[in-house]
Amino acid sequence: MTGTDLGMPAFPPFPEAAREAVHDEVLRANLRHATHTIRDKRARAVAELDDWDRLRAAGKAIKDHTLRHLDRHLLQLEAAVTAAGGTVHWAVDAEEANRIVTGLVLATGEREVVKVKSMATQEIGLNEALEAAGIAAYETDLAELIVQLGHDRPSHILVPAIHRNRGEIRDLFRSEMGRWGRPAPQDLGDDPRELAEAARLHLREKFLRAKVAVSGANFMVAETGTMVVLESEGNGRMCLTLPETLISVVGIEKVVPTFRDLEVFLQTLPRSSTAERMNPYTTMWTGTADDDGPTAFHLVLLDNGRTDTLADEVGRQALRCIRCSACLNVCPVYERAGGHAYGSVYPGPIGAVLSPQLRGTASPIDATLPYASTLCGACYEVCPVAIDIPEILVHLRERVVQGGPVTRDGVRVRIRPAHGHTAERAAMRAARLLLDRPGALRAGERLLSRARRLRPRRLPGPGRAWTDTRALPDVPAEPFRDWWARERKTPQT
C-alpha cells in the first residue's frame, strides 16, 4: 500500500472510464434523476437565507485562517483531546494510519468493528487493511451498506449508492444480506420504507453486539477537543455511543478553532448537502466520560498528502472542502460519467482537484482528472466555502503539461511529462516560432486561404479527439491583414 493510497486499485485514464460510463443508460438515468432532485432541493433551501453569501464568505475566511495557522490549531486540539481523556495519534500516510487503527482494534481482543460513514477511512483503504488482519468491518450508513453488500465502490460523496436504483437495491438485499448477518425477507419489495426496515433490522444486531467503532468527523474544535459528526439516519449516533472503544480517523484539515466558528458550518453544510435547515443527527463528543459513551477514545490525525497540498498556494484552497457534494450535483461531467470514472473516493469536481494533489499527477488517472471538466464554473457558484475549482483545474493542467514537480514520500521530484501532451507542446513551439516571424505568418495565412477547399473534416493524430465533437472552423477567403490593407488602403507591416 502506497503512502498516499486513496483506497482504490489502479484505474484507466478518466476519458476511457467516462467513455464506457456514458453508454450505460441505466446509470445515466439514475444519476440524472438523483442529481437534479438534490440540487433543486438545495437551491430552495439556500434561497431561504438572506445572508447565504455572507455565511459563504465567513466559511471561506475561517477555513483560510485555520489553514494558515494549522500547526498551532492542531497542537491545541491534541492538548484538549488529551486533557479530556482521549489519545491522539499522528499518521503521516495511509500505511501508518492503517497500522495504528489495526493495532488498536487487535489490542481490544475484538475481531469486528462497526463503522460510521467516513471518507477518510475509504481514502486509506482501512476496511481492506482490517480484513487482512482478520477483522470484519461493517458499514452502517444505509448507502455505504448497499455499496459493501454489492462489493462495489462509492460513486458520490453524500449518496455513495447514487448509481443504484430501488430494484437493484432490493435484489442486492435479498441475495447478499444473509452473508453478512440477518437476512432480508425473501418477499422484500422495492418500497423505500421496506428497504430501510430490512437494513434497520440487519444493523440492529451489529450495533448491540459491537465493542469497537470506527468513525471520521466532519469537524474538530481545537479549543475544546470536540469531535462533530453530522448524519441523517441515526446509525452514526449508535456507533458513537454504544461501543466501548471509539477510534476516529480524521484529516488534519477538518479542524476549526472555536465553537463560534463551528456555528457557521452547522448552517451551511446541511443546506448545501441534504437541503435540510438543520441536520437530523448532530453528535458531539469530547474525550471520554465515566458514565456515558465509550470508555476509550482514540483520534488518528491523518496527513496523507495534505501537508504537500497545503504548500501549493493555488491548490491549498481544496482543503477548505466540507464534503457537502454540492459541486457533484451541478456538474455536467459528473452527471454523465458518474463517480466511478474518477478512480477515487473523491469523485466529481472536488475529486478532480483533490485526488491529484493528494496522490500526485504521475499516474494515468491522476494526470487526466484535471481535464475532467468543462470549466463552466457551476461548482464554484454552489460551493459553500467558495473553492475556485476551475482555477485549481487550470493550475493542475499546467502541472501535468510541465511534468512536475511532485512530492513523493516527502521528497519533491520531477516526473516525466504525461503521455499525450508531446504533440501539444510541439504545436505550441511551432506556433511561437511562426508568431515571432510576421513575414512567415503572412505567407502561411495566404497559403491557408488558397488551400481552404482542401480543409479536412477531422484533424489527424492527437487532434482527432478534438474534432470528434467539434467542427473545424471555415477558413476565410483571404487573410484579415490583406482585407484590412485593402479596405483601409494602408501598407502591410
Side-chain angles (χ1 to χ4, degrees), residues 26 98 113 130 146 152 165 202 206 215 242 258 287 293 301 306 320 357 384 393 489 493:
V26 174
N98 287 331
V113 301
L130 292 174
I146 293 167
D152 201 351
N165 59 39
H202 174 83
K206 303 190 185 315
S215 81
L242 290 179
T258 68
L301 291 171
R306 286 160 174 79
R320 292 185 209 142
Q357 293 192 88
L393 287 167
K489 294 183 171 52
T493 58

Side-chain angles (χ1 to χ4, degrees), residues 71-88:
D71 54 345
R72 185 179 74 199
H73 294 307
L74 288 175
L75 291 176
Q76 182 184 17
L77 174 72
E78 179 184 34
V81 170
T82 303
T87 304
V88 177

Side-chain angles (χ1 to χ4, degrees), residues 308-317 357 391 395:
D308 295 334
T309 303
L310 187 62
D312 188 325
E313 292 185 2
V314 176
R316 71 173 61 150
Q317 59 183 301
Q357 293 192 88
E391 179 187 30
H395 172 66

Side-chain angles (χ1 to χ4, degrees), residues 138-310:
Y138 298 112
E139 298 289 351
T140 62
D141 175 82
L142 178 56
E144 290 288 354
L145 173 65
I146 293 167
V147 169
Q148 186 174 47
L149 292 177
H151 307 283
D152 201 351
R153 295 181 289 109
S155 62
H156 192 278
I157 291 176
L158 177 66
V159 194
I162 196 172
H163 56 291
R164 299 276 193 179
N165 59 39
R166 291 186 296 175
E168 292 174 313
I169 296 170
R170 175 203 59 208
D171 295 341
L172 196 61
F173 278 14
R174 285 178 179 177
S175 62
E176 297 294 328
M177 196 170 269
R179 302 181 186 181
W180 294 78
R182 178 174 178 143
Q186 285 305 305
D187 61 348
L188 180 67
D190 64 359
D191 182 273
R193 289 169 296 184
E194 289 186 62
L195 296 173
E197 179 65 9
R200 187 187 72 81
L201 294 174
H202 174 83
L203 292 172
R204 178 69 57 167
E205 293 182 347
K206 303 190 185 315
F207 289 138
L208 296 177
R209 186 176 66 237
K211 302 295 184 182
V212 182
V214 176
S215 81
N218 293 98
F219 305 101
M220 305 180 290
V221 182
E223 70 175 350
T224 60
T226 302
M227 305 290 113
V228 185
V229 166
L230 281 67
E231 40 116 8
S232 299
E233 301 170 11
N235 63 291
R237 181 161 296 177
M238 298 287 279
C239 292
L240 297 168
T241 56
L242 290 179
E244 297 172 358
T245 300
L246 173 59
I247 305 167
S248 298
V249 182
V250 190
I252 56 175
E253 81 281 13
K254 294 297 186 70
V255 65
V256 296
T258 68
F259 257 101
R260 184 175 181 178
D261 299 319
L262 178 65
E263 182 265 342
V264 172
F265 302 109
L266 292 183
Q267 294 186 70
T268 57
L269 180 55
R271 290 179 185 268
S272 207
S273 57
T274 56
E276 294 166 303
R277 298 180 181 89
M278 179 178 179
N279 221 64
Y281 294 91
T282 301
T283 304
M284 303 183 186
W285 71 99
T286 305
T288 60
D290 293 335
D291 54 355
D292 185 28
T295 56
F297 169 59
H298 297 269
L299 172 62
V300 181
L301 291 171
L302 178 68
D303 188 322
N304 206 38
R306 286 160 174 79
T307 300
D308 295 334
T309 303
L310 187 62

